[in-house]
Amino acid sequence: MKKQQNNHVPLSNNERIVNRTNQRRRRNRRKKIIIRSLVGVIFLFVGTILALTLFFNINKIVVTGDKVYSEKEVVEASDINIGDNLIFLSKSEIYDEITKELPYIGEVKVKRRLPSTLEIVVTKTEPYMATAQDGYYILLDKNGKVLERDLEIIGENVILASLGEINSYEVGEIISLKGEKVFTKLNDVITECENVGITEITSIDLSDIYNIKLVYQGRIKLELGETDNDNLNSKLSLGKAAIDKQNEENITYRGIINLTVDGKGYWSEEVSTTEPVTEENATEIPSENAENQDEESSTKAEESTKNQEEASTSAQ
């Protein structure tokens, strides 16, 4: 078998020089394309920035929403000025500035109206509760934001809340508490009270989150004890039913409902706050199931008596 012949012919010096020259030209051409592309991107970026800077500056600021403060006060608190760039402003910074400087504003929405108008939409917040500190009151909204401090008196329809040890309380900021779970518990209790229809809470004691107490209309104390997601609704529902029933009999009644035991409740007359309500000094509140069982037993007894009377009549 014959060996395959090698037909490769060596290049001459001139040919090798020409090849190297062509390769160099191709590399240079690619470099030029890359450089031109980069320059184009840079010019496009710079042009866009210049256009945004030159053509989208604020020449009008409008304030809409709730009229808690004057438009001038809101604009000054926002720290935004005519001539500032509309595109590059920070919505979060505007929110923080306004809600801190003007505590009765709870929500802020910032809207860009191109090409040159900024709209600030404000929503008010209202006093919800107050807590005592150093002989004065701190007024809070529902989220725990400090609205006012060092008050000697508080208005009506404000819940008096015991929140435990306080770390700091600056106006316009969320109150800082030593107990990390206090506000979580507070929101849970408030939400469930609204769900079951207990709407006239006058005070709430969360100084011990494992022994929560509420006061309804300043006259009926609900002792909830330890609560969780499983038993809070049932405890408050039982308390609401007991309150409604007692209100039908005596709208001015003052007393204590012990709801510390799951599924049970005990009424007692108003006693010293240091004396616990127990089974010995209280009247058990029948649960809804117990009431249904009593009604069923009563109905069965009536049917049995009726049947006996009919049988006696037939025998005669």
Side-chain angles (χ1 to χ4, degrees):
M1 185 175 180
K2 295 181 179 181
K3 293 183 179 180
Q4 185 176 359
Q5 293 181 352
N6 187 357
N7 296 323
H8 179 71
V9 178
L11 296 175
S12 65
N13 289 334
N14 289 335
E15 289 175 331
R16 283 196 291 269
I17 292 171
V18 170
N19 282 343
R20 283 196 295 269
T21 301
N22 291 335
Q23 291 174 358
R24 194 160 45 246
R25 287 175 178 173
R26 285 194 292 269
R27 286 196 297 269
N28 291 337
R29 192 180 298 114
R30 285 196 295 268
K31 288 180 180 178
K32 289 179 180 179
I33 293 173
I34 293 172
I35 291 172
R36 287 172 182 170
S37 299
L38 289 174
V39 170
V41 171
I42 292 171
F43 271 110
L44 179 62
F45 177 76
V46 172
T48 301
I49 298 298
L50 289 174
L52 293 176
T53 303
L54 294 174
F55 299 109
F56 294 101
N57 292 333
I58 299 171
N59 63 24
K60 185 179 181 181
I61 303 174
V62 296
V63 179
T64 60
D66 295 331
K67 304 298 182 182
V68 190
Y69 300 93
S70 69
E71 182 170 303
K72 181 181 179 181
E73 288 176 307
V74 175
V75 173
E76 288 179 351
S78 72
D79 202 26
I80 298 297
N81 299 301
I82 297 297
D84 288 349
N85 188 265
L86 186 64
I87 303 301
F88 297 117
L89 58 83
S90 171
K91 292 184 177 182
S92 62
E93 289 182 4
I94 295 174
Y95 180 98
D96 292 340
E97 293 286 348
I98 293 176
T99 54
K100 183 177 180 179
E101 185 71 22
L102 306 175
Y104 279 90
I105 292 179
E107 293 292 333
V108 175
K109 292 183 179 179
V110 179
K111 299 181 180 180
R112 299 179 178 93
R113 304 297 188 192
L114 298 179
S116 58
T117 300
L118 178 70
E119 181 183 3
I120 302 174
V121 185
V122 299
T123 303
K124 66 180 179 180
T125 188
E126 297 180 342
Y128 185 79
M129 58 187 162
T131 188
Q133 178 75 0
D134 298 331
Y136 295 94
Y137 292 110
I138 306 168
L139 193 62
L140 309 170
D141 73 358
K142 199 169 186 178
N143 296 317
K145 179 184 178 183
V146 179
L147 304 179
E148 297 182 53
R149 52 175 290 175
D150 302 328
L151 299 175
E152 295 183 355
I153 58 173
I154 55 176
E156 297 181 356
N157 302 321
V158 174
I159 297 174
L160 184 59
S162 298
L163 304 175
E165 188 173 341
I166 299 173
N167 292 330
S168 63
Y169 52 103
E170 296 299 326
V171 173
E173 299 181 358
I174 301 297
I175 190 171
S176 175
L177 304 174
K178 184 176 182 180
E180 297 179 355
K181 297 181 180 179
V182 173
F183 262 112
T184 300
K185 282 290 184 182
L186 177 64
N187 290 329
D188 290 344
V189 172
I190 289 172
T191 299
E192 285 303 327
C193 281
E194 293 173 351
N195 289 340
V196 303
I198 302 178
T199 58
E200 298 180 75
I201 297 298
T202 51
S203 69
I204 179 169
D205 185 352
L206 284 157
S207 55
D208 180 359
I209 62 172
Y210 301 105
N211 187 24
I212 299 173
K213 303 180 183 70
L214 310 175
V215 177
Y216 168 81
Q217 289 188 348
R219 60 187 179 88
I220 298 177
K221 180 188 288 187
L222 290 80
E223 297 181 342
L224 303 181
E226 186 173 0
T227 63
D228 54 39
N229 294 333
D230 296 326
N231 65 13
L232 181 57
N233 181 274
S234 60
K235 286 187 175 187
L236 290 174
S237 296
L238 181 57
K240 175 65 164 56
I243 290 172
D244 289 344
K245 187 173 182 180
Q246 186 59 248
N247 283 343
E248 292 176 359
E249 300 174 2
N250 183 359
I251 196 66
T252 62
Y253 179 85
R254 306 178 72 87
I256 299 173
I257 309 175
N258 185 324
L259 299 164
T260 57
V261 180
D262 289 354
K264 292 186 177 182
Y266 299 93
W267 267 114
S268 72
E269 297 291 336
E270 189 173 29
V271 294
S272 170
T273 55
T274 59
E275 181 181 346
V277 181
T278 64
E279 295 184 23
E280 286 72 24
N281 62 7
T283 304
E284 183 172 359
I285 302 169
S287 64
E288 185 176 349
N289 292 334
E291 290 179 353
N292 292 337
Q293 291 175 358
D294 291 342
E295 291 177 0
E296 291 177 2
S297 299
S298 177
T299 302
K300 290 180 180 179
E302 291 176 359
E303 290 178 353
S304 176
T305 302
K306 185 177 180 181
N307 292 335
Q308 289 176 1
E309 291 176 351
E310 290 177 353
S312 175
T313 303
S314 299
Q316 292 175 358

